[in-house]
Amino acid sequence: MDGFIPSQAAGTAEIVFFDLETTVPRRAGQRFWVLEFGAIIVCPRKLVELESFSTLIKPKDLSAVALKSSRCDGITREAVESAPEFEEVADKIFSILNGRVWAGHNIRRFDCARIKEAFAEIGKPAPVPVGMIDSLGVLTEKFGRRAGNMKMATLASYFGLGQQKHRSLDDVRMNLEVLKHCATVLFLESSLPNIFNSKLQSSLTVTTRSRSNGKLPCREETSRKSPPISLGYQRSAVPYTRTSLGKMTESVKNLLCKSQGSQPLNTLLKHSHSLLR
């Protein structure tokens, strides 16, 4: 599985969901600068938040930060001018990440690389995880693209969890909720496969040239963390309405955590998928 890296020590370790906000290089030779770090430490047996931390980070090159942001909650140059530099918060970030299971959306390709770069720049060893859960890989394999593309914003909208703010702490909390909802749906489908899976298969549709009048969908702008988008893909119908799905996931969530209380979230996803085969 692309999204999960197991470890012998991961069974008793806490999970840390983390996210970075960075600058976006506009031309060749430019680099990423970390502008914000946010993380929550989660109990793997109860999926509850134990601790949180977030901080803005001032890059060495302030000119790389936009004066204004296109997002209402975006990070501007003024916001980070008085923030600590990475070296000042590196020890705290190290203590949060080191020796825990790392979790996040597309962290294998993006966030992990930025963490290594930032620690290398200040001449300190980078934190090391005991395991890794990349929700982009896990959900692509287990949940599929029934919600649309695999962006966090799309998944959150599918489950009615609100709009992604692209701020680190808000995004990691949204990431955890998305995983809970996906796990709940997989649990329901594995419990009654003859009912839920048959409806799902019959409702899936394929976009053809005739249905799209010979035109491909417009290319969507991607961010530095966005997964690749298939131009030939359009959202398929699902066997439940958003409202009924939201009620089901909410009512089953507590039962789900209790019934799988001795297993971390990844084990639950893995178990649900095996029953669907």
Side-chain angles (χ1 to χ4, degrees):
M1 183 196 310
D2 289 339
F4 177 65
I5 301 177
S7 168
Q8 291 181 347
T12 57
E14 294 170 330
I15 302 174
V16 54
F17 283 79
F18 74 99
D19 178 68
L20 302 177
E21 294 299 320
T22 73
T23 59
V24 180
R26 299 298 182 186
R27 59 179 181 270
Q30 287 188 325
R31 55 162 291 176
F32 290 97
W33 290 99
V34 177
L35 301 180
E36 187 177 43
F37 172 88
I40 58 173
I41 297 173
V42 174
C43 170
R45 299 182 183 275
K46 297 182 179 180
L47 304 183
V48 294
E49 183 178 322
L50 303 175
E51 182 183 342
S52 66
F53 174 77
S54 68
T55 181
L56 288 169
I57 296 172
K58 178 182 178 180
K60 293 188 181 298
D61 182 9
L62 270 176
S63 66
V65 188
L67 290 171
K68 295 183 179 180
S69 174
S70 58
R71 301 187 180 109
C72 60
D73 296 321
I75 300 173
T76 62
R77 188 179 302 177
E78 182 181 5
V80 298
E81 278 180 339
S82 58
E85 294 188 356
F86 185 82
E87 189 169 10
E88 298 175 66
V89 294
D91 289 343
K92 178 64 176 179
I93 293 174
F94 184 92
S95 69
I96 290 173
L97 295 178
N98 195 56
R100 289 190 168 100
V101 175
W102 292 5
H105 203 66
N106 201 24
I107 59 172
R108 289 186 67 187
R109 183 176 68 89
F110 187 81
D111 302 79
C112 292
R114 306 288 85 80
I115 286 290
K116 289 181 180 179
E117 291 170 357
F119 275 91
E121 186 176 35
I122 62 173
K124 291 187 176 182
V128 178
V130 296
M132 192 179 300
I133 302 172
D134 190 326
S135 57
L136 174 59
V138 170
L139 296 183
T140 299
E141 179 180 349
K142 304 295 186 186
F143 193 71
R145 293 181 178 270
R146 68 183 85 179
N149 61 44
M150 298 308 292
K151 292 182 179 181
M152 182 54 58
T154 305
L155 292 163
S157 177
Y158 176 75
F159 288 114
L161 296 174
Q163 186 175 2
Q164 185 183 11
K165 294 185 177 180
H166 293 281
R167 295 300 299 269
S168 295
L169 199 56
D170 292 314
D171 285 2
V172 292
R173 286 175 172 150
M174 177 172 281
N175 195 172
L176 176 58
E177 290 306 309
V178 164
L179 278 172
K180 286 180 180 179
H181 279 67
C182 289
T184 301
V185 171
L186 292 174
F187 177 78
L188 291 170
E189 291 176 349
S190 65
S191 299
L192 295 170
N194 293 335
I195 296 176
F196 291 116
N197 290 333
S198 61
K199 289 185 177 181
L200 177 62
Q201 292 300 323
S202 63
S203 65
L204 293 178
T205 58
V206 179
T207 302
T208 63
R209 179 171 292 273
S210 61
R211 288 184 60 191
S212 58
N213 296 322
K215 298 179 181 180
L216 291 174
C218 295
R219 185 171 185 176
E220 185 176 350
E221 182 180 355
T222 59
S223 71
R224 82 282 185 277
K225 289 191 67 175
S226 301
I229 300 174
S230 172
L231 293 179
Y233 174 82
Q234 287 187 350
R235 179 174 174 169
S236 302
V238 295
Y240 341 94
T241 63
R242 288 188 185 182
T243 303
S244 62
L245 176 59
K247 290 180 179 178
M248 280 194 296
T249 55
E250 195 64 34
S251 62
V252 174
K253 191 180 297 180
N254 292 332
L255 173 62
L256 178 61
C257 291
K258 291 179 182 178
S259 64
Q260 303 294 332
S262 62
Q263 299 176 359
L265 178 60
N266 175 76
T267 304
L268 173 58
L269 287 167
K270 183 177 181 181
H271 172 69
S272 299
H273 181 64
S274 65
L275 291 176
L276 286 171
R277 292 181 175 176

